[in-house]
């Protein structure tokens, strides 16, 4: 994950796509399919993680 830290706390800003594609390849997932799907999945996961951090007080 890529995380940004600031005076008011931190936020997840994305995934390490090189690592995500390497994991997909290791799992036998076609890299072209992974490259097509991962950005959309990343956007949802990042949004949900940041929502959870805000609601649990981990981010100011």
């Amino acid at each position: 994950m890529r995380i940004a830290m600031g005076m008011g706390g931190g936020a997840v800003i994305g995934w390490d796509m090189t690592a995500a594609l390497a994991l997909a390849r290791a799992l036998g997932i076609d890299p072209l399919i992974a490259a097509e799907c991962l950005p959309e999945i990343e956007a949802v996961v990042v949004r949900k993680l940041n929502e959870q951090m805000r609601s649990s007080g981990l981010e100011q």
Side-chain angles (χ1 to χ4, degrees), residues 12-59:
V12 177
I13 59 172
W15 286 351
D16 178 342
M17 283 299 175
T18 301
L21 289 170
L23 179 60
R25 187 174 298 113
L27 293 171
I29 298 170
D30 184 317
L32 292 175
I33 293 172
E36 231 1 86
C37 296
L38 281 173
E40 292 182 36
I41 296 167
E42 174 195 34
V44 172
V45 172
V46 166
R47 186 172 55 251
K48 292 297 182 180
L49 283 172
N50 286 322
E51 286 174 7
Q52 287 180 348
M53 287 187 340
R54 277 191 297 275
S55 68
S56 66
L58 294 176
E59 179 190 272

